[in-house]
Amino acid sequence: MSLLNLHLKVWRQNGSQPGHFQDIEAPEIPDHASFLEMMDIVNERLISKGEDPVAFDHDCREGICGMCSMQINGVPHGPEKATTTCQLHMRKFRTGDTIWIEPFRASAFPILKDLMVDRTAFDRIQQAGGFVTVRTGAPQDANALPIGKEVADAAMDAAECIGCGACVAACKNASAMLFVSAKAGQLNSLPQGQPEKDRRTLGMVRQMDKEGFGNCTNQYECEAACPKGISVRWITKLNRDYAIASVKEAFGNTPKVAGGGD
Amino acid sequence: MFKMKTSHMSAVFDSLSRFYASSIGKKFLVALTGLVLIGFVFGHMIGNLLIFVGKDAINEYGHMLQTALHGGGVWIARLGLLAAVGIHIVATIQLTRANRAARKDAYGQHKAQVSSKASHTMIWSGLTLLAFIVYHLLHFTVHAGNDYGTYHTTLHGETVHDVYRMVIAGFSWAPASIFYIIAMLLLSTHLSHGFSSLFQTLGVSTDKTEPLFKKLGYAFAGLVLVGNCSIPIAILFFHYGR
Ligand code: HEM
Ligand code: SF4
Ligand code: FES
């Protein structure tokens, strides 16, 4: 094990008050620590000095919950491909490095404190159609609904999205298209999702716009930053599904979509 | 009866305006109008290259455009292009503003990992193109501040506009030629991103076709650059037709 001496530039902010970068020295960080453990060590030291620890989001610390965030040296979840911040290790850094640590920045993700942002906009998008309505009564036989292997695999790929928001953070437009397309596309691919497909697509895209996310300029920074490697082909599908649903809404018999979800 | 009809009409209209109001809807129109403009840029370039075939070839082409459908053809094309350019510009400016509003506070550090410079400067290449389109129309269509409109020649015993002489005269003036070349450089950057991008927006790209669209886009951008710039370069620097 070797120890790293690091210079951190950490964003400090209280709610909607203006924030600033604070220079924090982080000497003697074990290189086998995870990035979040490094933050824990830094916070312990701040607390023992009587200073305010850095607020950051985390939960599972094993790359599955989507709570950890942070823009590390200009990239969401840091430099390692397909890796969440909690799974990023300090051995990826060199002693003497300066590390910029910022919150995910988007108007739709207001900063709560320091590195914590409010991502409930994602929940509201999910509530606008990101589900399959389950009716009460006897469930049908599990084998009664055959699903092709390729379809099931593709839906599983989309289902990998952990809702972390790195796609929004990476995008120059703070667009949520990769998240929305994964969530809508997962269900739109499956037979169970067909009855509500158009309603889901229209509802989720409209909620996405309402939350103030930007729009997609097809630069694919989201895919490059996504810790789960969600493909931009889901965005292709969302564009297609949305156009079809809009045409059906305009000229067909589909009833008008309300907000959805309630 | 009549009431029913208008309410259905307005339901269709409501849905269409909701489509335009949405981010994806606007992008769809940007892509469709972009495709129309790409088609125009290609046809326009092929037509202009007739200048290298000879004086009669380009004059005949110009005369054909002017007289198609008894002179109506050129106006149908103009109005169609005006609509395409208008929708493209209004939608892209609205989208760009929405994108800026979506991130009000800038990052201290923000690294682009995979996207091209061209894709980050679409609004600037686009706005320069807009200035170019206005200049180009004043220069060669409206003939503002020049007497190119009075150039005439005979073709198959008919008096026609002398397009050939106009183009040679137009590009003999260095500032005009240089502005054209700059505009074409920016058009090629615009197309290097826009060409493949439009297929993603229209929902047709696949993992197999995306690399193909990319290569086609670069090839098309290069072709338009070389093809269009060859004319002012030949005239200004190599004295073609002078
Ligand atoms: C000959 C003229 C033009 C052609 C051939 C052209 C072509 C295109 C194409 C194919 C796209 C891609 C559409 C998509 O991503 O779905 C595009 C996007 C765009 N164009 Fe144009 N365009 C032209 C003129 C203009 C002008 C005058 C503006 C001025 C505002 C402009 C601004 C934009 C912007 C901002 C985008 C969006 C870029 C993005 O999504 O990243 N374009 N254009
Ligand atoms: S698409 Fe990827 S980056 Fe976006 S929220 Fe889902 S897991 Fe995170
Ligand atoms: S803390 Fe759960 S994914 Fe990182």
Side-chain angles (χ1 to χ4, degrees), chain A residues 217-218, chain B residues 27 30-31 34 37-38 41 88-89 92 96 119 122-123 126-127 129-130 187 190-191 193-195 197-198 201:
Chain A
T217 47
N218 306 332
Chain B
K27 283 245 41 183
V30 171
L37 294 176
I38 282 177
V41 163
H88 192 84
I89 293 171
T92 52
T96 304
S119 73
M122 290 296 276
I123 191 67
L127 288 173
L129 280 172
L130 175 61
L187 175 60
H190 203 79
L191 291 170
H193 174 69
F195 189 98
S197 176
L198 82 90
T201 305

Side-chain angles (χ1 to χ4, degrees), chain A residues 105 107 171 219 221 233 236, chain B residues 101 103 115 119 197 200 210:
Chain A
R105 293 187 194 273
S107 305
C171 177
Q219 295 171 297
E221 290 292 339
R233 289 289 86 82
T236 328
Chain B
R103 176 165 301 123
S115 53
S119 73
S197 176
Q200 166 77 349
E210 169 93 25

Side-chain angles (χ1 to χ4, degrees), chain A residues 73-129:
Chain A
N73 283 341
V75 179
H77 295 296
E80 197 67 355
K81 266 214 94 68
T83 306
T84 53
T85 297
C86 59
Q87 298 269 285
L88 174 66
H89 279 79
M90 295 315 296
R91 57 176 172 269
K92 300 291 167 191
F93 297 89
R94 298 262 164 281
T95 197
D97 277 0
T98 298
I99 308 177
W100 291 72
I101 308 173
E102 301 177 61
F104 285 178
R105 293 187 194 273
S107 305
F109 287 166
I111 294 176
L112 297 169
K113 188 166 167 31
D114 301 338
L115 307 172
M116 288 172 87
V117 298
D118 179 357
R119 286 170 282 181
T120 49
F122 272 11
D123 299 340
R124 289 187 292 272
I125 294 173
Q126 281 289 62
Q127 286 156 9

